[in-house]
Structure formats: C-alpha cells, structure tokens
Amino acid sequence: MANYEKSLNFVKEHLDSGETIKSSVYGAYEGKLMGKDTAYNGVFIATEKRVVFFAKKLFGYELESFHYKNISSIEKSKGMLGHTITIHSSGNKAKMKWIQKGDIVQFTQLVNSNIQNTNQSNNVTQELMNDIPSQIKKLSELKDLGILTDEEFSSKKIELLSKM
C-alpha cells in the first residue's frame, strides 16, 4: 500500500526508544495469507539491534522482527526480475524479492557485520562464564593461604556464581 518513504516513516513508530534506521531496502516480502503464498510490498530495515520487515496494509500492517543474535545468515541474489535478500533466523526464513529501492550492498554488509559482532560478543561471554570455576578455585587458594577471609571468599564466590 505505502511507498518506500511512507513505509520508512510508518516503521519508525514501531522502533524502540533511541533505535534508528541504519539501512533499508524496499521490495516484495514473501508470506502466507489464509494458507496461500503471497507477497507484501514493504521495507526491510536494519537498526543497531535488529532487522525489521514492515508493510502497511489497507487496514493495518505486517511487522516481523529479527534480532541479530538470532540471525544465522543473510543471502543476496540477483535474477531477471531484480535482487532478493533472504534472512535465516532461528529456524525461520524471511525473503524479500523484486527489490526496487535501497542500497542492497550496504544493507547486507551492515547485517553481516552486526551478526558477526553479536557472535563475537557471545563467544567472549561464554569464555568468561567458562572461566568462573577457575576464578573460584584461585580464590579458594587465596583463602587457604590466609590472604582472604572466609567471609571475603564467600562473598566473591556468590558474586561470581551469579554471573553464570
């Protein structure tokens, strides 16, 4: 229903406070309507936190959100009728075809970059969580040497365990 610029304005109403559109593309989003395949004209937007599909309809809208931590990959292709972007997220697949407007290269690079940054952040968090038992062991050794009191050891142990 709405064109590219109107769709971008409508989707802003659904963003979190402080969340901004970093990149976008406009095309036909594949979906289901009453069990049948259909396509909605709308936008894929990339923000700091997620990718959002938004389409304004005559009586309402369609909105689907994909947080970067849940996106496993993004694909792009070009055929005779135009570009296609497919996002794979936690067992779901979101596909936009016949992309007419927006910077496809910038959009896919931004999404890929955010996926990688999220994965690296998750790896660091996992490494820190795996290190907690060894930190508790070191604290125990310090307690055994008389460097820490029982109360200091217990307090720090509880603090570390709460991070797991």
Side-chain angles (χ1 to χ4, degrees), residues 2-64:
N3 66 21
Y4 185 43
E5 291 76 21
K6 284 183 182 178
S7 293
L8 289 175
N9 285 329
F10 283 127
V11 75
K12 287 177 185 176
E13 297 171 15
H14 301 280
L15 298 180
D16 295 338
S17 177
E19 189 176 17
T20 58
I21 298 171
K22 300 294 183 185
S23 186
S24 63
V25 293
Y26 180 82
Y29 184 76
E30 290 186 349
K32 295 243 185 231
L33 180 63
M34 298 203 275
K36 298 193 183 225
D37 290 337
T38 188
Y40 301 102
N41 283 333
V43 291
F44 255 150
I45 63 154
T47 72
E48 309 82 5
K49 299 165 46 170
R50 59 190 169 148
V51 173
V52 176
F53 166 74
F54 180 85
K56 181 77 172 110
K57 300 186 325 185
L58 188 58
F59 298 108
Y61 60 87
E62 292 287 329
L63 184 133
E64 195 165 355

Side-chain angles (χ1 to χ4, degrees), residues 131-149:
D131 191 46
I132 289 174
S134 66
Q135 290 179 32
I136 293 172
K137 184 177 178 183
K138 288 176 187 174
L139 288 172
S140 177
E141 291 168 0
L142 293 172
K143 182 185 75 144
D144 292 343
L145 292 170
I147 297 171
L148 291 177
T149 66

